[in-house]
Amino acid sequence: MRLRALLDTDALGLRLLGGEDELDRTVRGVMTTDLRDPSRYLSGGELVLTGLAWRRDAEDSDAFVRILVQAGVAALAAGEAELGDVPDDLVLACARNRLPLFAVHESVAFATITEHVVRQVSGERAGDLAAVVDRHRRMMTSGPAGGGPDVVLDLLGSDLDLRAWVLSPTGRLIAGSKTAGPALPADVCAKLAAEHLAATRTGRRGPHRLTLGATTYSLFPVRTGGRAPQASRDVRETVLSDWLLAVEADARDWPEERLDLLQGVTQLISVERDRRDAARSVRRRLAQEVLELVQTGAAPAEIAARLRVAAPVLLPGLGAAPHWQVVVARVEWDGGDVEGGAVAQSLLEEILVDPLAAGPEQSDRIAVAHTGDEAIALVPLPAVSTEHDGSEAGILADALLESVRDPLAAGLDDDGRVTLGVSAAVHSAEGLRGALEEARHARRVAAARPGRVCAAGHQELASHVLLLPFVPDDVRRAFTARLLDPLRDYDRRHRAELIPTLEAFLDCDGSWTRCATRLHLHVNTLRYRVGRIEQLTSRDLSRLEDKLDFFLALRMS
């Protein structure tokens, strides 16, 4: 559609403030944003709608307009609801850069304009598309009659008889239609997410398909800001953060009109995603401020004052100051040409949510900042109980990754890696600096382990295992080969199982009776095997030093 057609629609309430000579430009899409730099979400040809929340002073207008012009947008429409009249500095900036500018009357919702543009740009659609688009306002409304993604999924179910769900990249259920029946099992969600991420990494165009049992699912990407696939410089920047729409149907049999409909639905769902990300900005800023104080050695009283400000935002209604844990994550890609900090930030905001919690707003009690390839989360704990072993409960490193490991591994493919470290809980500002260093140290322990997705917790930092990650690889190989190769060779030739016997003997703390029972051996047979181990290695398993050498060699092998 042409820009000129927007002015001919009285219901849109648009008033032209500049750009009369550019009204024949073609509009290919619409995007709502209040980001100061939305360029990564623009692909060209959009009508950009803004409430001007990005503007702090007159100088901001010129920078914002230049960004839009460089991205090739068709026009800018500024709402009058927040500031009244559109500021003169924005009018002048648009005139200097030949960007058409509209004013949106305060009585007109951006959803109305979005609905109109989507309908016009989509062209002639089947009747089912009109049924969904005409009810777009219900989906966009934030009040009780709205409901975000759930509403559009209900429309897909009632109007088109499609069962559909919105999933996070880790397989967490974000939304599902009431007509879809019982919620998808967690293992099905994880498999769908893993297939989607794997297909995205290979560059295959959506929708992707996966058949589980007798059911076929079609997977559509939900891209932040509704951007086109080519708008991102590198798929690795977004693959671990984009949502997906899973539909119980085989999209191969669909006509183009039906495929266009589902693509339009994903754009509408992306509006909800953008709204959620905008709400996160306050928590991210709080996290950044607190962490800067911690890392620069600010006085505990100053950090405590900032935490008192942060706690009501992160934990509404909490009476007392919470305990805190720190989680550090890094996302690293081979070659180092993609910065992983923002990816790690989005990832932490997702995986720190209870995996059983549904809905797009379940991460509103987590504050995550990022620098470079590292993301740091401040996680408030309303109450920290003590477990039976005396340790404080809270986030456990292994539990964080238990349900998300397979999808993440698919998204990381063969060139990415995620490592996490988790601190112990602290109850005061004085403990935050130590918690941050503890979490970073635990992450380095995780980084020394094999695998694409690894985590380590503070419990492991009090162990001799802490020493292992910092031994150079060639030293490890030489040490383990010298000590264990004679046993491996003997086992290979005689099937004697000396290595399993050694592991069991050390695990039983050298107890002959317990080890023999575990291995279902006579004690004399066990003594013979241990004697053979000592003979082949010239070591004495009654000596603590030799036991420790064997233990470390087995851990490093």
Side-chain angles (χ1 to χ4, degrees), residues 26 160 346 402 438 447 460:
T26 300
L160 310 181
S346 297
E402 184 175 351
E438 189 173 60
E460 300 177 62

Side-chain angles (χ1 to χ4, degrees), residues 342-365:
V343 181
Q345 182 181 48
S346 297
L347 193 58
L348 271 187
E349 288 171 334
E350 170 60 32
I351 66 175
L352 288 173
V353 179
D354 181 347
L356 299 179
E361 300 298 336
Q362 295 304 315
S363 57
D364 61 354
R365 295 186 173 184

Side-chain angles (χ1 to χ4, degrees), residues 140-158:
M140 301 293 293
T141 304
S142 58
D150 298 277
V151 172
V152 70
L153 299 185
D154 286 341
L155 295 178
L156 289 177
S158 61

Side-chain angles (χ1 to χ4, degrees), residues 159-198:
D159 291 6
L160 310 181
D161 197 26
L162 289 176
R163 289 159 42 91
W165 303 265
V166 178
L167 305 177
S168 78
T170 63
R172 186 170 65 87
L173 183 65
I174 301 295
S177 63
K178 297 182 181 64
T179 58
L184 283 179
D187 62 327
V188 173
C189 291
K191 290 175 182 176
L192 294 176
E195 172 63 23
H196 171 72
L197 292 176

Side-chain angles (χ1 to χ4, degrees), residues 3-17:
L3 285 175
R4 192 179 306 279
L6 295 173
L7 290 174
D8 296 335
T9 307
D10 295 336
L12 300 184
L14 295 178
R15 182 163 48 90
L16 185 65
L17 300 182

Side-chain angles (χ1 to χ4, degrees), residues 33 62 120 126 143 151 155-157 169 174 185 201 241 250 253 260 278 289 294 368-369 374 382 409 427 495 533:
T33 184
D62 196 59
Q120 295 300 317
V151 172
L155 295 178
L156 289 177
I174 301 295
R201 286 307 312 275
S241 58
D250 190 343
D253 302 330
D260 286 346
E289 292 173 357
V294 171
V368 187
E374 181 181 73
H427 66 279
R495 299 182 182 179
I533 291 170

Side-chain angles (χ1 to χ4, degrees), residues 486-502 519 521 525-526 528-530 532-533 536:
L487 304 183
R488 290 171 177 149
D489 291 340
Y490 190 90
D491 280 348
R492 193 161 41 247
R493 293 195 310 269
H494 302 285
R495 299 182 182 179
E497 296 187 340
L498 296 185
I499 292 289
T501 300
L502 175 61
L519 297 175
L521 297 175
T525 304
L526 175 61
Y528 172 83
R529 289 188 182 179
V530 170
R532 179 63 68 183
I533 291 170
L536 291 170

